[in-house]
Each structure stands twice: as C-alpha cells, then as structure tokens.
Amino acid sequence: METEGGSSGSPSSGSSAKSSGSSGSSSSGSAAPARTRKPGTWRRLPRVPRAPTHAIKERGEMGIWFITPEELQRQARERANELEKMDDSGCDTEEAKIAFRAFKEEHLRLDRWIAKGWPEHIVVNRTKHFSDTQEEYLTAEDMEARFAHRDPTLLHVEQLEHFAHLALTHYNARRTEHKFDIAQALTSNCFSEACGTTYAHVNFTATPRNSDDPTKRLFFAELMLVPELQLQEDKEPMRVLHVSTIDDVPCFGGCHEIYRKINHRMRGDMDYERCHACHSILKHPKGDLFIGGHDSTRMPYYSAT
C-alpha cells in the first residue's frame, strides 16, 4: 500500500510530482487529476458472496457449532459397528439383557439411518436431561431377588465371589462376635481412576454365624488393587478398604452414564455423595464412606477386569 509520506508540500503537489515522474512531461491542461488516498486508509475490496455451507447445525451446551454431513455419517457408522460387536454377556440379570437388546436394536437402526444420509436442515439437540439415583432401603432378600435369574455362566462370577469372600473375611477379622458367612455374591464392578488406581465395589449377602437370628444382611465393600503384589504368588493383590452393612441405612445406586444435577458444594469435579463409576444396580452407602468413583465427569472410568 502506498501512502503520502512527504515532509513538505500539499497532496496536490505530491501528485503532480508523481505524474511528472511517470510521464516525463505533461501539461496541467491535458493530464487528468490523480486520485489520492488519505494516509492510513485501505482500498475497499469488492464483496465476494460466500460459497454455500453444507454443514449441519448442532446445538450443544456451549452454543452452536457445525459438523459436516460426511463427519456425522462417519461417526454414526463407527458407533453402529461398535454396537454390532457387543452382546448381552455382561448383563447380570435377564431384565438387563432384555433392556440391552432393546437399546441395541433402537440405536443400531438410528445410527444406520444416519450413516446413509442426513438432511442438512436438521438441528440435533444434545441438551442434557438431569437425573439421579433414588434413596432406597433394601433388605438382603430384596437384592437377591433382583439377581435371581442371573446366568450362572456369566463372566467374572469367580472374581465376584473372590472379592466378596475377601471382604467378609476382612470384616469378620475385626469382630469378636456376630460374625457372618457368605450367602450370595451379587454384583461387582472393577474400575480404574484417571490416576491409574484400580478399585472394586461389591455387593453380597451374608448370614449370621452361631446366632439365634438367621436374618441375612446386605453388604457393600470397596477393594483396591496393589500392583506391586501381583508379582508375588503368595500375596493377595486386592486390599480391602471398607466393608459395611447397607440394609439398615439409605443406599444409592451408582450414577454411571447418568447426568446428575449436583446442588451441593464440590471440590473440583469430585462428587462425594455418589459413585459415578458403577451402574445403578450396584448399591452404595453415603459416598463419603468409600474412596473410588467420585469423579462426576465420568470420563476417567472404564472397566478393569
């Protein structure tokens, strides 16, 4: 860009000098007056119409962004392929298997439809719908009934029973009376935190030993993996951190895959009222009694078998 930068003379004298320098000699009568631009101004560029966008408007928590149909189709195709590989072997009850099959059928149909094409004017609303796990008072028989139709060949049953026996042995070792024997190992979840620490949460029932009261009790236990002990054959790598009965206090299911509306004060993303690593079928006491599973973002949690 050229600007008029002479230290003396007016704009008209500067333009005359430019005119004489370029043509050698000219008369004031025949030469057209040169157009000048004020210092610091730019020539206006002509407006060019934008090419039409072929992007889908998607509304999220942080506003509106755009995603191309090709990218949306690719994501749907990947989700459908992953879902196609999944089966109901990880479900604890027949009801859970039925619910999984219905979920798989519905979402496979939707993702396959999206993968074939998507109208450009569609707005996808991803507004979160908050939920929570309800406070429950459950007996041992209540929980056992929920697992009555479980497939005995289910994966990880041996691990579940091992965790339950470790927990109850730990519980009995700290009591001089009112000890218990395992009645039924119900469910467990083994998960890792973002820091790499692996925890296990377990529900089981147990009956009093040498007691006139045969009432079963419902238990919750938390265990932690000590990786250094895995290399020693004579050592148990799972350390029991907490064991308690939960049939005499309010208990809560896990919040995994639930958008929980949290109204109390938190430390960062840590919700010390609930477990965000386990599903709702696994019951917990008040959240400050156990260590793992409190990150409300849910992103650090994945199954560790």
Side-chain angles (χ1 to χ4, degrees):
M1 180 186 73
E2 293 182 358
T3 59
E4 306 300 330
S7 59
S8 62
S10 63
S12 59
S13 62
S15 61
S16 300
K18 286 175 62 178
S19 176
S20 60
S22 60
S23 59
S25 62
S26 61
S27 61
S28 57
S30 59
R35 298 183 63 183
T36 60
R37 192 161 59 248
K38 292 183 180 180
T41 61
W42 293 84
R43 179 173 60 88
R44 176 172 292 181
L45 297 176
R47 291 181 177 270
V48 178
R50 285 186 175 184
T53 59
H54 297 284
I56 297 169
K57 186 167 58 175
E58 186 166 345
R59 184 181 297 112
E61 290 182 72
M62 304 303 293
I64 293 176
W65 62 93
F66 290 90
I67 181 172
T68 64
E70 292 76 17
E71 175 63 18
L72 188 64
Q73 292 170 20
R74 185 191 65 79
Q75 293 177 6
R77 195 176 302 111
E78 289 183 357
R79 285 195 304 270
N81 291 338
E82 287 297 319
L83 193 56
E84 192 75 60
K85 299 174 185 177
M86 297 173 66
D87 56 34
D88 58 10
S89 60
C91 300
D92 289 329
T93 64
E94 191 61 35
E95 291 81 359
K97 290 184 178 182
I98 295 173
F100 171 78
R101 295 185 198 118
F103 171 88
K104 181 176 180 179
E105 180 181 358
E106 177 184 356
H107 284 76
L108 263 180
R109 183 171 60 252
L110 176 62
D111 286 331
R112 294 298 186 197
W113 179 71
I114 294 175
K116 292 179 180 179
W118 188 269
E120 297 178 10
H121 63 278
I122 293 291
V123 175
V124 180
N125 191 349
R126 294 195 184 276
T127 304
K128 292 181 178 180
H129 298 284
F130 291 103
S131 183
D132 201 352
T133 56
Q134 300 300 314
E135 177 181 278
E136 296 179 274
Y137 285 86
L138 297 171
T139 66
E141 288 77 12
D142 291 336
M143 279 292 284
E144 286 181 346
R146 298 184 182 187
F147 293 89
H149 303 290
R150 178 173 52 191
D151 185 350
T153 63
L154 187 68
L155 296 176
H156 314 309
V157 169
E158 184 177 346
Q159 175 179 274
L160 161 63
E161 293 177 347
H162 178 60
F163 289 165
H165 280 89
L166 286 177
L168 192 58
T169 301
H170 175 90
Y171 182 84
N172 286 335
R174 283 152 179 76
R175 301 172 69 90
T176 57
E177 55 182 359
H178 303 301
K179 298 187 178 185
F180 289 82
D181 293 316
I182 283 286
Q184 185 176 343
L186 298 174
T187 184
S188 68
N189 180 38
C190 201
F191 60 91
S192 293
E193 294 279 0
C195 63
T197 305
T198 298
Y199 294 93
H201 288 174
V202 190
N203 283 151
F204 60 92
T205 58
T207 54
R209 181 188 302 174
N210 303 325
S211 173
D212 296 333
D213 182 8
T215 304
K216 291 181 183 179
R217 303 298 304 273
L218 175 61
F219 284 81
F220 165 84
E222 180 179 58
L223 301 86
M224 180 182 72
L225 175 66
V226 183
E228 295 80 7
L229 299 181
Q230 288 182 297
L231 302 177
Q232 304 180 35
E233 294 183 0
D234 59 337
K235 299 292 184 181
E236 171 56 54
M238 295 300 292
R239 177 183 298 168
V240 180
L241 302 179
H242 173 80
V243 188
S244 65
T245 56
I246 57 173
D247 52 3
D248 51 355
V249 295
C251 59
F252 304 87
C255 293
H256 187 58
E257 297 182 348
I258 290 178
Y259 297 113
R260 180 170 183 250
K261 187 174 184 179
I262 303 172
N263 296 318
H264 61 88
R265 184 185 297 275
M266 297 200 303
R267 282 178 283 176
D269 293 321
M270 306 304 287
D271 174 15
Y272 288 102
E273 283 195 351
R274 299 284 192 276
C275 176
H276 290 260
C278 298
H279 288 278
S280 59
I281 196 170
L282 203 158
K283 305 305 177 183
H284 304 67
K286 198 71 172 179
D288 54 2
L289 295 179
F290 54 89
I291 299 173
H294 294 297
D295 193 324
S296 64
T297 64
R298 301 173 309 284
M299 292 302 292
Y301 297 118
Y302 59 90
S303 294
T305 56

